Amino acid sequence: MLVNTTAGRAVRLAALFLALGAPAAVRAQFSGASIDFVPPGGVQEGASVSLRATFNSGVPPAYAYVFIRPIGQLAYLPLVLRINGNGLFGELPAAMLRAPGIEYYLSVTDIDNQTVTLPAVAPDASPLRLPVSPPLGAFALTPVYPDEG
């Protein structure tokens, strides 16, 4: 049954686009999607790092990841980010944070199955970097007493 309303025509048009393999009209909204994120500063080995980002789009996020690897390695490890509304939250595990640092990027896929990454272009080849310092060396204090006499 066809409904003769503007909404009905939009639904039929979207169904036609999908049937023909053309991108749906809602994807035009996606061109303005972005991820707001303030990268953490350098850290020391053994410390965990919390991540917080915001997904800006007219379409809600479905799932999100941070892909992480030690500097100099080829493969990334995907870590799931928690989603709360448009907020993305996660933690880089302390076990992964070793000197000289890590490379990482964020990836968010919305409910229309469109993906946005940060960095936006070639994130796996040009990732963000987090410098990691080696732990401070252990030291001991030795009391020094003035000479008696």
Side-chain angles (χ1 to χ4, degrees):
M1 175 176 161
L2 297 177
V3 180
N4 191 15
T5 65
T6 303
R9 280 190 291 255
V11 169
R12 287 192 310 272
L13 183 59
L16 178 63
F17 279 136
L18 291 173
L20 296 175
V26 293
R27 291 187 182 166
Q29 297 174 356
F30 196 78
S31 63
S34 65
I35 301 171
D36 288 339
F37 175 69
V38 176
V43 298
Q44 281 193 320
E45 283 186 13
S48 62
V49 173
S50 294
L51 299 178
R52 175 181 228 146
T54 304
F55 180 61
N56 300 304
S57 174
V59 181
Y63 51 91
Y65 294 94
V66 59
F67 290 86
I68 178 175
R69 70 179 178 191
I71 290 176
Q73 298 293 316
L74 295 177
Y76 285 94
L77 174 68
L79 301 173
V80 175
L81 295 174
R82 293 180 311 281
I83 298 172
N84 186 1
N86 286 344
L88 313 171
F89 306 92
E91 193 156 317
L92 301 177
M96 295 284 300
L97 300 178
R98 299 285 175 240
I102 61 163
E103 296 177 320
Y104 66 101
Y105 66 93
L106 304 176
S107 177
V108 182
T109 302
D110 70 13
I111 62 172
D112 286 339
N113 206 30
Q114 297 299 303
T115 301
V116 175
T117 61
L118 181 72
V121 178
D124 55 338
S126 303
L128 301 169
R129 284 188 165 208
L130 175 62
V132 177
S133 303
L136 295 175
F139 63 92
L141 296 175
T142 305
V144 177
Y145 300 101
D147 289 338
E148 291 182 32

